[in-house]
């Protein structure tokens, strides 16, 4: 131990370890763990010396030293709580070196005693931290009821009691004149108080974002500084050196409690735990006169409010420990309750925002459905008139390239229309179908490419061989791809970057397919990785993220029987890989849904087949609201040899057709022409009616067994459907 006062040694250690830790967490690669281990070693050595300074020398005939409070136990346990298991051996190795140095060089213990006591000093941290990290699957959040309760019961009480039992046994074996039970009780109480005071402080400053994050204005930070200053001042007046200098008789240590309540209710756990530790140190050092040792004064000057000359020495220790336990436990409970209330208020705000977003998305979905409906009507007109033009021009090569260009443009418009309809549909288990994953991915890239800013390369990695088929809802799969693409885009720097999206086969037999999205962005902090799929958890700045995107992705992937994994390196990028079970493979890509308006659909063979089927005039009544679509259908059905007539009142016309038993007469009507109550009575009479609409709007009619035909349609397919009735 250096000749300088202990206070100078502690200040130097803090001034070295804190900046080193701050610098270390910002370093990539091997420099980060090395810097943090060095900072831990310096801090642990300093806090171990602080623990030694808390030895209480009772006044009287009993010369036994008693440690009222042992903060080094809490510091080691707190570091293990925030450290990944991969680095635990190194932390314990550094801790063992510190303990052995302290026992051999500073406390003049024999090597054998040191080799026995060092594992005991480390065992407590391991016993207390291991179950919490396993249950929390990472660093526990001590402001959450489950983690807080487990910390109190296991880490503070059970783990310290077990460690104290072993430590007291080794102590009694070393000093045979001592009694086991008093040693065990003192050891247990001092270690428990050290864990209760210091471990939450370490977790608050280095643990989960939820526990540590403080987004407060400057005035709020000034208030926090004022709170700490007032707490120290009141503490020194009531339990500290100033009570002697001012001839104060304020022997009321509980005067610090209102300031701790202020800290718990107004500030983050960081401020609350820091204030609690300051109050603890003031109470401990002034109660035993150790503050005199810190500043080089006479220890007899400062006895504190817990010491009474007419009481046995043990009473002073017990009264001080009771005060510390009540103060620490109450403050932690207040912090947990305050954070729970804050968390619930934030969840309520997030749910409100989610409701607003859902309502806005509902409006957008309705708009998208309306736009898609109008686009389908226009496409139907274009397709029908294109057929009529082809009928008249025949195989004229001068116009074939123009007709093919019309077909290609129509196909793209149909795909866009169906994508809009998919986005507007609600999730429905009945919509689970077989999806060509490669085709769905290409469609998504084409549809969402406009979301990627200029300067960013979006690379599609194609899968060779047969296209993988999976089971799922196409609309929900599109939502997964959209959310992951948006996250990848947001992770890139302002100047742009590179995003790769594609498929690869996995599994021992190649029976699984992975959809991956990889970006070269900033990456995800390791402490955030275990929480990214939790609802309402976001690493984006306030107002830029809802914390719902990845949780929705996770739920959709599970609905499809898949699994999602993430790998990320800070500063290099992130890769999300979604593994789907394959249900087969397609030699040719499956369509995204519906029919494609390609040139082959209007070929000469199709037209000739239609003429042969309709060589006699058949009465077909057409009830379609859009005048252009109705006129085009009437003209083309007439071209195909039918007697097509417009219909203004489909219900009345249907009754007339069924009542007079017309020869093969058929009613072709949009589903919107009938109300919900009209379908069931019609279905019971097996009517000659063909209903037109989208897949979603036709679902009730299909359940009743009515004939349906999806829009947009090819006229040859519509003619074939009419002919089959």
């Amino acid at each position: 131990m250096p000749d300088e006062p202990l206070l100078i040694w502690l200040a130097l250690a803090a001034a070295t370890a804190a900046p080193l830790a701050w610098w270390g967490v910002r370093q990539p690669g091997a420099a980060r763990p090395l810097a943090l281990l060095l900072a831990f070693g310096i801090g642990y050595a300093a806090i171990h010396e602080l623990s030694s300074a808390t030895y209480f020398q009772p006044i009287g005939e009993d010369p036994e030293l008693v440690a009222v409070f042992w903060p080094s136990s809490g510091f080691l346990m707190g570091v293990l709580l925030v450290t990944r298991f991969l680095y635990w051996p190194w932390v314990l190795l550094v801790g063992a070196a510190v303990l052995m140095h302290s026992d051999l060089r500073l406390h003049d213990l024999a090597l054998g005693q040191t080799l026995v006591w060092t594992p005991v000093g480390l065992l407590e941290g391991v016993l207390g931290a291991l179950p919490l990290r396993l249950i929390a699957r990472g660093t526990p959040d001590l402001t959450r009821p489950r983690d807080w309760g487990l910390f109190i019961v296991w880490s503070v009480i059970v783990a310290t009691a077990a460690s104290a039992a072993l430590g007291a046994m080794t102590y009694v074996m070393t000093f045979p004149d001592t009694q086991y039970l008093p040693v065990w009780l003192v050891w247990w109480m001092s270690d428990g108080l050290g864990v209760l005071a210091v471990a939450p402080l370490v977790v608050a400053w280095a643990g989960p974002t939820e526990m540590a994050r403080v987004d407060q204005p400057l005035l709020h930070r000034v208030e926090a500084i004022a709170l700490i200053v007032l707490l120290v001042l009141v503490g020194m007046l009531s339990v500290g050196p100033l009570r002697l200098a001012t001839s104060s008789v304020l022997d009321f240590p509980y005067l610090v409690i209102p300031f701790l309540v202020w800290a718990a209710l107004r500030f983050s756990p960081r401020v609350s735990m820091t204030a609690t530790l300051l109050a603890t140190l003031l109470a401990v050092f002034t109660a035993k006169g150790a503050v005199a040792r810190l500043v080089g004064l006479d220890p007899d000057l400062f006895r504190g409010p817990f010491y009474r000359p007419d009481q046995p020495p043990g009473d002073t220790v017990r009264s001080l420990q009771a005060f510390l336990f009540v103060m620490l436990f109450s403050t932690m409970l207040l912090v947990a309750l305050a954070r729970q209330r804050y968390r619930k208020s934030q969840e309520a705000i997030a749910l409100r925002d989610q409701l607003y977003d859902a309502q806005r998305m509902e409006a957008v979905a309705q708009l998208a459905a309306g736009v898609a409906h109008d686009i389908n009507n226009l496409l139907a007109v274009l397709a029908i008139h294109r057929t009529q033009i082809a009928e008249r021009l025949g195989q004229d090569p001068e116009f074939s390239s123009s007709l093919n260009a019309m077909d290609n443009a129509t196909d793209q418009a149909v795909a866009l229309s169906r994508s809009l309809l998919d986005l507007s549909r609600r999730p429905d288990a009945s919509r689970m179908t077989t999806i060509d994953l490669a085709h769905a991915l290409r469609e998504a890239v084409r549809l969402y490419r406009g979301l990627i800013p200029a300067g960013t390369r979006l690379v599609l990695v194609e899968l060779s061989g047969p296209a993988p088929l999976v089971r799922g809802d196409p609309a929900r799969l599109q939502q997964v791809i959209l959310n992951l693409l948006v996250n990848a885009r947001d992770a890139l720097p302002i100047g742009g970057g590179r995003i790769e999206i594609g498929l690869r086969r996995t599994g021992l037999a190649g029976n699984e397919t992975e959809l991956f999205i990889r970006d070269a962005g900033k990456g995800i902090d390791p402490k955030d990785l275990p929480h990214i799929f939790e609802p309402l958890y976001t690493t984006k700045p306030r107002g830029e993220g809802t914390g719902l995107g990845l949780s929705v992705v996770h739920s959709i992937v599970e609905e499809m029987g898949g699994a999602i994994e993430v790998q990320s390196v800070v500063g290099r990028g992130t890769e999300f890989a979604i593994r789907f079970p394959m249900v087969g493979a397609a030699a040719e890509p499956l369509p995204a849904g519906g029919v494609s308006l390609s040139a082959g659909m209007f070929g000469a063979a199709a037209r000739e087949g239609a003429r042969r089927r309709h060589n006699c005039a058949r009465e077909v009544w057409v009830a379609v609201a859009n005048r252009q679509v109705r006129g085009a259908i009437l003209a083309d059905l007439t071209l195909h040899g039918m007697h097509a007539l417009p219909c203004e009142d489909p219900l009345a016309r249907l009754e007339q057709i069924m009542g007079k038993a017309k020869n093969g007469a058929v009613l072709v009507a949009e589903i919107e022409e009938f109300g919900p109550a009209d379908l069931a009575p019609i279905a019971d009479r097996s009517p000659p009616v063909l209903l037109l609409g989208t897949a979603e709007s036709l679902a009730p009619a299909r359940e009743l067994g009515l004939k349906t035909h999806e829009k947009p349609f090819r006229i040859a397919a519509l003619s074939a459907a009419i002919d089959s009735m």
Side-chain angles (χ1 to χ4, degrees):
M1 184 68 197
D3 295 332
E4 292 79 8
L6 180 59
L7 184 61
I8 299 177
W9 155 238
L10 294 176
L12 289 175
T16 304
L20 185 61
W22 179 86
W23 177 82
V25 297
R26 287 160 175 77
Q27 301 307 306
R32 175 175 179 167
L34 289 176
L36 293 178
L37 282 173
L38 182 58
F40 164 70
I42 297 173
Y44 191 46
I47 294 177
H48 192 67
E49 288 307 306
L50 182 67
S51 301
S52 300
T54 63
Y55 277 127
F56 189 93
Q57 177 69 60
I59 305 300
E61 297 180 357
D62 187 2
E64 183 182 352
L65 292 175
V66 177
V68 180
F69 165 70
W70 199 254
S72 60
S73 297
F75 183 73
L76 176 62
M77 189 179 296
V79 170
L80 291 177
L81 284 173
V82 299
T83 302
R84 297 169 59 188
F85 289 127
L86 176 65
Y87 300 109
W88 272 32
W90 301 102
V91 171
L92 296 176
L93 184 62
V94 173
V98 170
L99 292 179
M100 292 183 68
H101 175 267
S102 175
D103 291 340
L104 288 173
R105 300 290 301 275
L106 303 179
H107 300 292
D108 297 325
L109 294 180
L111 179 60
Q113 295 172 342
T114 300
L115 292 177
V116 173
W117 285 19
T118 296
V120 174
L122 300 176
L123 178 63
E124 185 174 70
V126 175
L127 284 178
L130 181 61
L132 265 71
R133 281 197 64 88
L134 290 176
I135 293 175
R137 296 182 180 179
T139 301
D141 184 352
L142 300 184
T143 65
R144 294 185 179 274
R146 184 198 67 179
D147 294 349
W148 179 82
L150 184 61
F151 171 75
I152 294 294
V153 173
W154 177 260
S155 301
V156 175
I157 299 176
V158 177
T160 55
S163 175
L166 185 59
M169 185 183 301
T170 60
Y171 189 90
V172 171
M173 293 172 62
T174 305
F175 304 101
D177 295 337
T178 57
Q179 297 181 3
Y180 176 81
L181 187 59
V183 172
W184 170 78
L185 184 61
V186 169
W187 195 311
W188 178 32
M189 291 296 294
S190 62
D191 281 5
L193 290 173
V195 170
L196 189 58
V198 180
L201 178 68
V202 176
V203 175
W205 281 95
T209 305
E210 171 67 20
M211 188 172 179
R213 182 172 54 220
V214 190
D215 297 324
Q216 299 292 349
L218 178 61
L219 186 61
H220 198 76
R221 298 181 183 180
V222 172
E223 182 185 352
I225 296 173
L227 165 67
I228 298 297
V229 172
L230 288 174
L231 174 64
V232 172
L233 181 61
V234 171
M236 295 181 73
L237 282 171
S238 59
V239 300
L242 291 182
R243 62 189 295 275
L244 178 66
T246 59
S247 300
S248 172
V249 291
L250 293 176
D251 287 346
F252 302 113
Y254 294 97
L255 288 176
V256 300
I257 297 296
F259 293 91
L260 299 180
V261 173
W262 178 13
L265 298 181
R266 279 284 294 163
F267 301 100
S268 72
R270 286 180 171 178
V271 177
S272 302
M273 300 305 177
T274 303
T276 306
L277 182 62
L278 286 175
T280 302
L281 294 176
L282 281 170
V284 170
F285 283 119
T286 56
K288 61 172 288 293
V291 69
R293 180 186 172 190
L294 283 173
V295 297
L297 299 178
D298 184 1
D300 292 331
L301 290 178
F302 308 115
R303 296 297 183 186
F306 301 99
Y307 173 70
R308 295 291 184 273
D310 56 343
Q311 293 180 350
D315 290 351
T316 299
V317 174
R318 283 187 289 272
S319 62
L320 174 58
Q321 289 181 331
F323 166 75
L324 293 179
F325 180 79
V326 170
M327 180 182 68
L328 293 169
F329 182 84
S330 301
T331 303
M332 273 206 68
L333 180 61
L334 277 176
V335 170
L337 294 176
R339 296 300 292 181
Q340 184 75 359
R341 182 177 180 181
Y342 171 77
R343 193 179 293 113
K344 287 185 177 296
S345 67
Q346 292 299 109
E347 289 176 356
I349 293 173
L351 288 175
R352 183 195 63 191
D353 294 342
Q354 183 182 359
L355 176 61
Y356 291 160
D357 291 341
Q359 291 174 339
R360 185 168 62 250
M361 289 302 298
E362 182 72 18
V364 171
Q366 293 177 357
L367 178 62
V371 170
H373 178 75
D374 293 339
I375 291 176
N376 283 339
N377 287 334
L378 297 176
L379 290 176
V381 175
L382 292 174
I384 293 172
H385 283 294
R386 186 263 176 219
T387 305
Q388 295 177 3
I389 294 173
E391 291 280 353
R392 288 174 172 78
L393 295 179
Q395 299 296 323
D396 191 336
E398 183 179 353
F399 299 99
S400 61
S401 60
S402 297
L403 293 175
N404 290 334
M406 291 175 61
D407 292 335
N408 292 333
T410 305
D411 285 346
Q412 294 178 16
V414 168
L416 178 61
S417 171
R418 292 199 175 277
S419 297
L420 290 173
L421 287 173
D422 284 340
L423 288 175
S424 67
R425 290 182 181 124
R426 298 175 181 268
D428 187 357
S430 64
R431 293 188 54 78
M432 297 285 284
T433 184
T434 301
I435 304 173
D436 180 341
L437 201 53
H439 183 75
L441 188 59
R442 285 193 295 269
E443 288 297 305
V445 170
R446 180 188 59 79
L447 182 63
Y448 304 134
R449 188 178 292 274
L451 299 175
I452 307 302
T456 297
R457 291 186 60 196
L458 179 59
V459 180
L460 176 61
V461 180
E462 297 280 359
L463 182 68
S464 60
L469 303 180
V470 298
R471 291 283 298 176
D473 184 342
R476 304 272 276 173
L477 178 61
Q478 292 290 326
Q479 187 174 359
V480 168
I481 299 174
L482 172 62
N483 287 357
L484 292 179
L485 271 178
V486 169
N487 277 0
R489 177 201 65 187
D490 294 343
L492 294 177
I494 297 178
R498 177 185 175 93
I499 300 175
E500 292 184 5
I501 181 171
L503 300 174
R504 59 190 176 214
R505 288 188 173 84
T506 60
L508 296 178
N511 58 344
E512 291 183 337
T513 301
E514 272 191 356
L515 185 156
F516 66 90
I517 296 181
R518 183 188 305 122
D519 66 73
K522 58 186 178 183
I524 303 174
D525 194 292
K527 71 175 185 293
D528 292 324
L529 277 177
H531 307 284
I532 59 174
F533 295 113
E534 296 177 3
L536 307 178
Y537 187 90
T538 179
T539 59
K540 296 180 180 179
R542 185 177 180 86
E544 295 185 16
T546 62
L548 298 172
L550 289 179
S551 64
V552 170
V553 167
H554 188 267
S555 64
I556 294 175
V557 170
E558 286 189 337
E559 287 175 7
M560 297 178 64
I564 183 169
E565 297 178 352
V566 57
Q567 294 181 350
S568 183
V569 178
V570 176
R572 297 186 180 180
T574 303
E575 178 182 292
F576 285 90
I578 306 174
R579 190 167 57 252
F580 294 106
M582 292 175 55
V583 297
E588 297 293 337
L590 298 180
V595 297
S596 176
L597 301 177
S598 60
M601 295 180 179
F602 305 104
R607 294 192 298 272
E608 290 301 321
R611 286 197 181 94
R612 286 195 297 270
R613 290 194 300 272
H614 301 289
N615 50 16
C616 60
R618 186 178 189 184
E619 190 175 279
V620 179
W621 295 89
V622 179
V624 176
N626 187 283
R627 181 176 55 82
Q628 291 178 307
V629 176
R630 183 175 65 247
I633 293 175
L634 290 172
D636 214 60
L637 289 178
T638 301
L639 183 65
H640 280 69
M642 300 183 188
H643 185 201
L645 300 168
C647 176
E648 299 295 337
D649 188 349
L651 274 175
R653 180 58 61 186
L654 186 60
E655 289 293 336
Q656 183 181 13
I657 292 174
M658 297 178 67
K660 295 184 178 180
K662 290 281 184 176
N663 182 24
V666 175
L667 173 66
V668 177
E670 290 179 314
I671 186 70
E672 291 81 8
E673 296 292 330
F674 298 93
D678 298 331
L679 295 179
I682 294 175
D684 294 338
R685 301 167 63 187
S686 300
V689 61
L690 182 64
L691 299 175
L692 307 178
T694 63
E696 190 171 15
S697 63
L698 292 175
R702 286 172 174 166
E703 292 177 358
L704 295 172
L706 294 170
K707 295 287 186 179
T708 61
H709 198 74
E710 287 190 30
K711 296 193 300 182
F713 50 80
R714 50 178 179 167
I715 198 64
L718 181 63
S719 300
I722 295 173
D723 187 50
S724 65
M725 297 178 65

